[in-house]
Amino acid sequence: MARAQKLKVYRTVAGFNDAYVATTSQKAALEAWGSERNLFARGIAELVTDPALTAEPLASPGVVVKHSRGTSAEQIKAMPAPEPRTTRRDVSGRPEESKQPQKPKPAPKPKPSSAKLEAAEAALETVTADYDGRMKGLADREAKLARERRELEEQHCANVGAAEAAVEAERQRYDAAMRQWRKGKSDT
């Protein structure tokens, strides 16, 4: 028959409160508090033996019971006094007079010149404007050539129509003349 383990009460600090828990081991207490670090090794948690402080946690084992560490006024009074403010804080930990003179900082490098970039951008604008101008000139010439082609085609159609009409008229005249000639030949 297994013997029931004896409960012990442990305490740790939780903000302005003390957190008590009744468990069988320190490991179980750390789990109840949700701590991943060993608070006992750090001296932040301890075993409590005072019967007045252990009564409530022993009544509900495994449950974290919090008690205020005092009134708000007592907690504020227990806070450390603020350090006096200084105009300049020495982060090195050495007194001001023991500081070695600092080397002067080198002059900052001058800002890079943008002249070459601006010249390259201007050259790009010139090339683009030249191309656009030439393309407009070609488009104008193409439009003029298209008009000339239309006019030439219209003139050609008119000339072909007139020539075909002249050929037809001459063919009719020739055919009429041939008929006359044949008729005159057959009469003789």
Side-chain angles (χ1 to χ4, degrees):
M1 186 169 174
R3 195 171 90 174
Q5 292 186 356
K6 185 177 177 187
L7 291 176
K8 297 176 185 175
V9 177
Y10 299 98
R11 170 178 59 195
T12 190
V13 176
F16 292 118
N17 300 313
D18 283 335
Y20 295 88
V21 66
T23 64
T24 56
S25 66
Q26 290 180 354
K27 183 178 178 183
L30 292 171
E31 288 176 9
W33 291 323
S35 176
E36 295 177 1
R37 296 193 172 95
N38 188 347
L39 302 177
F40 295 96
R42 294 177 166 199
I44 301 172
E46 63 185 354
L47 176 66
V48 178
T49 55
D50 184 356
L53 299 175
T54 60
E56 187 178 357
L58 286 172
S60 48
V63 177
V64 177
V65 178
K66 292 185 180 180
H67 289 284
S68 177
R69 301 184 88 205
T71 65
S72 298
E74 290 172 340
Q75 291 173 0
I76 292 172
K77 185 178 179 184
M79 290 177 58
E83 292 182 21
R85 291 187 163 234
T86 59
T87 55
R88 185 173 175 181
R89 187 181 226 183
D90 181 15
V91 292
S92 69
R94 295 179 286 176
E96 286 288 324
E97 52 273 1
S98 69
K99 277 190 175 179
Q100 294 179 359
Q102 292 182 344
K103 293 180 183 176
K105 291 184 180 179
K109 291 182 179 179
K111 182 179 176 184
S113 173
S114 63
K116 289 184 179 179
L117 173 62
E118 291 169 0
E121 288 174 341
L124 174 63
E125 288 178 19
T126 301
V127 168
T128 303
D130 180 55
Y131 173 79
D132 291 344
R134 287 179 161 196
M135 286 302 286
K136 185 179 181 322
L138 282 175
D140 291 346
R141 287 177 27 209
E142 286 173 345
K144 182 179 177 186
L145 286 172
R147 276 193 308 274
E148 286 181 23
R149 173 176 282 186
R150 274 194 311 275
E151 290 171 2
L152 180 61
E153 287 172 351
E154 289 171 3
Q155 184 66 43
H156 173 69
C157 286
N159 291 345
V160 166
E164 286 176 345
V167 166
E168 187 60 33
E170 282 301 316
R171 186 173 311 220
Q172 288 177 5
R173 188 191 60 73
Y174 175 76
D175 287 344
M178 283 300 284
R179 279 192 300 271
Q180 282 281 336
W181 178 74
R182 286 188 191 132
K183 188 177 179 183
K185 199 173 173 191
S186 64
D187 286 339
T188 43

